[in-house]
Amino acid sequence: KYTYEAGTISYVKKADLKGIVSETYNMHENNGNFVYVYTDYTKEKTVTGLCILDKDLKTVGEIKNLGKGEDLKASYFIDHTAYFVTYLTKDPVFVVDFSDPGKPVQKQKLKLPGFSRYLHSFGSENMIGLGYTDDGKVKLTLFAKDEENMLTEVDTVSEKKESFTSEYDHKSVFVDEEKGLVGFYVNEYGKSYYKLYENRSGKWKLKVNERCKTDNSYDWVARGVTIGDVLYVAEYGTQEIKTYDIGK
């Protein structure tokens, strides 16, 4: 733990904890507590857990042994609720409520085919998951979120593509919750595409399906953003910005 004040970063203390925190998306701050989702490889089978530390790095609450034998694929936090995905043969989406930091509670374990590698809020009543089907196709899922923050699958579309950039750079995924838009880059055996989907009535609609000029694979990114009814897509390495009318 470090503090920052008047331009100075100062060391405070450390704590030795079991498990591995694989990325920043697995960490969260809530009411002064540090909350994280971890993977524990020390047991006979891989397990996932959620732990809550106070300002002194003391453990105040923990929920253990979730997703036994499965890999942690994605996580997302909204206030005092954690959503995370583990995968082996099915996609359990765990929902954990830690409104009482001393007693985190598993509220739901939603099993779906395939798995999500990226989760994001999508308005106050929805979430999205971007990942893969069981046979390796890229899939985009819309979840409905009820008053108790539990999820229901609403609609899923899949692409015949092998990879998408959010697996390597989550910032490359474009999400406009107000307009109901999700944009991302996919790659199919060296052929690159930028996709923009819209969801306003519970169903995904493909708005843009653009073949990119540069057909490189995993070390290359296209990014998009909207201004009004125009989508701007910048392709790294081409020195071009393409525009698309999405107001139709």
Side-chain angles (χ1 to χ4, degrees):
K1 179 178 179 177
Y2 294 83
T3 60
Y4 174 80
E5 186 175 359
T8 301
I9 298 175
S10 302
Y11 169 80
V12 179
K13 60 175 59 179
K14 72 173 183 177
D16 293 324
L17 305 164
K18 68 179 179 181
I20 294 174
V21 180
S22 58
E23 58 186 28
T24 57
Y25 278 80
N26 298 335
M27 300 185 290
H28 180 62
E29 184 276 334
N30 182 259
N31 295 327
N33 293 325
F34 178 62
V35 187
Y36 65 95
V37 179
Y38 66 86
T39 302
D40 184 3
Y41 296 100
T42 61
K43 300 180 181 296
E44 184 177 342
K45 289 187 176 180
T46 300
V47 295
T48 298
L50 179 141
C51 188
I52 304 164
L53 307 181
D54 64 13
K55 63 180 181 179
D56 296 317
L57 301 186
K58 300 294 185 182
T59 300
V60 296
E62 185 176 10
I63 186 167
K64 306 177 183 179
N65 299 326
L66 303 178
K68 293 182 179 180
E70 299 173 339
D71 295 326
L72 178 64
K73 294 296 186 180
S75 64
Y76 195 77
F77 296 87
I78 301 177
D79 296 328
H80 55 75
T81 303
Y83 302 88
F84 52 93
V85 174
T86 62
Y87 179 76
L88 181 62
T89 58
K90 288 288 184 181
D91 173 5
V93 182
F94 290 95
V95 180
V96 175
D97 185 314
F98 51 91
S99 53
D100 180 352
K103 296 180 180 180
V105 178
Q106 178 187 321
K107 301 287 288 186
Q108 186 181 21
K109 182 180 180 181
L110 177 64
K111 290 188 176 183
L112 300 170
F115 62 92
S116 295
R117 285 286 285 142
Y118 178 79
L119 299 171
H120 201 284
S121 60
F122 204 59
S124 60
E125 298 179 351
N126 297 100
M127 287 189 66
I128 61 166
L130 187 56
Y132 294 97
T133 62
D134 284 334
D135 58 356
K137 297 178 182 178
V138 175
K139 72 168 184 174
L140 175 63
T141 300
L142 178 72
F143 299 99
K145 185 158 58 75
D146 66 16
E147 294 180 354
E148 296 185 356
N149 296 321
M150 292 193 286
L151 302 179
T152 303
E153 183 184 18
V154 177
D155 189 35
T156 295
V157 292
S158 61
E159 294 284 347
K160 295 180 181 179
K161 306 293 182 283
E162 65 169 2
S163 180
F164 61 97
T165 53
S166 67
E167 188 167 2
Y168 308 98
D169 181 4
H170 290 171
K171 293 182 180 179
S172 67
V173 181
F174 169 68
V175 179
D176 188 324
E177 299 183 31
E178 183 178 347
K179 295 179 180 178
L181 300 173
V182 179
F184 53 95
Y185 157 87
V186 295
N187 183 275
E188 180 186 13
Y189 304 106
K191 294 180 181 180
S192 307
Y193 300 83
Y194 189 84
K195 304 276 185 174
L196 183 76
Y197 279 92
E198 180 183 46
N199 198 314
R200 289 189 175 274
S201 59
K203 291 290 184 181
W204 292 113
K205 178 183 178 181
L206 183 62
K207 299 282 287 185
V208 173
N209 181 22
E210 179 63 26
R211 171 76 182 272
C212 299
K213 284 188 175 181
T214 302
D215 288 330
N216 203 344
S217 184
Y218 306 113
D219 58 350
W220 191 91
V221 175
R223 299 198 181 201
V225 68
T226 58
I227 301 177
D229 290 333
V230 178
L231 171 71
Y232 298 83
V233 177
E235 298 182 26
Y236 177 77
T238 66
Q239 297 181 335
E240 291 183 359
I241 297 178
K242 296 181 180 178
T243 61
Y244 306 88
D245 181 2
I246 59 172
K248 300 177 182 179

